[in-house]
DNA sequence: GCTTTATGCAACTTTTAGGTTGCATATTAT
DNA sequence: ATAATATGCAACCTAAAAGTTGCATAAAGC
């Protein structure tokens, strides 16, 4: 799984709305999730496919309807990715600070 | 600042590379950051503009060159956004679990 | 069996993104 | 002064994304 792809999938208001809805109630059917997004059912369906390819959701056939559930793992990985960036960034700052202090022993 | 816009900005390999580079060395000039991305300087410049509109980086003119630095705040907000989603999700699971246990007092 | 519901898929249009080339310009170095 | 460097901006091209409409179909309800 490509990290950029996951962020890209999250980078759309409609898709972010659907993800957010899934955190509060789950599973939901494709029909439920596709309502009130200001677009056609088929339009929403396309966005769900994007989320599915990014492995942010899972689909499961249930009779004539399809249940959608959140794949929290992928969300977690996205968060951790950002976390690592933040860590790298401030590790560098600390290293820099130590270096500077080393050159000025009397603080 | 729009949350989807930030994720969208992160949702491209070249842009993610630039952000990542900035966590390890900063500030860098536009020229430095634009090298080795497999695209022209002007192409890279466009991507930097995307990152700037998403407020993930800041530009600062310095003579004939421009320094680019990371705006960690925005990264932090993105991470927190995902964190909140994860929290909502597992708060719901706990609520559900409690509810179920309430109905089956003898576990 | 007939109808309604919940979907799927393909073709098409329009908008946005990603990237290029070409040229202009201000700053620094010689 | 001239040349080299570090940029900027606009026009253009191509490809991908976002969304639509129209039609097909399997499952459920009556």
């Amino acid at each position: 799984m490509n990290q950029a792809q996951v962020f890209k999938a999250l980078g759309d208001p409609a898709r972010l709305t659907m993800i957010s809805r899934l955190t509060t109630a789950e599973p939901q059917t494709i029909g439920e999730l596709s309502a009130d997004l200001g677009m056609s059912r088929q339009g929403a369906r396309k966005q769900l496919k994007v989320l599915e390819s990014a492995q942010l959701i899972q689909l499961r056939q249930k009779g004539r309807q399809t249940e959608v559930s959140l794949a929290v793992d992928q969300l977690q990985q996205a968060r951790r990715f950002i976390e690592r960036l933040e860590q790298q960034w401030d590790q560098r700052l600390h290293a820099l600070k130590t270096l500077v202090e080393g050159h000025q022993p009397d603080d």
Side-chain angles (χ1 to χ4, degrees), chain A residues 18 21-22 28 30 36 49 58 63-64 70 73-74 78-80 89 93-95 106:
Chain A
M18 294 195 267
R21 283 186 189 172
L22 282 169
Q28 296 185 46
I30 289 186
D36 307 315
K49 276 183 182 155
Q58 285 155 349
R64 76 174 151 182
L70 197 62
D73 287 4
Q74 197 62 258
R79 174 178 48 80
R80 293 211 178 116
W89 185 81
L93 285 202
H94 284 124
D106 43 323

Side-chain angles (χ1 to χ4, degrees), chain A residues 79-103:
Chain A
R79 174 178 48 80
R80 293 211 178 116
F81 183 89
I82 298 180
E83 252 165 35
R84 281 193 297 275
L85 289 177
E86 292 177 294
Q87 280 165 17
Q88 270 189 303
W89 185 81
D90 60 49
Q91 269 167 33
R92 178 173 53 78
L93 285 202
H94 284 124
L96 207 62
K97 200 187 165 210
T98 305
L99 185 70
V100 169
E101 282 167 355
H103 280 268

Side-chain angles (χ1 to χ4, degrees), chain A residues 5 7 22 29 34 41 44 46-47 49-51 72 101:
Chain A
Q5 198 192 344
F7 287 127
L22 282 169
T29 66
S34 301
R41 175 187 63 81
K46 270 188 145 179
Q47 302 311 322
K49 276 183 182 155
V50 173
L51 292 174
V72 201
E101 282 167 355

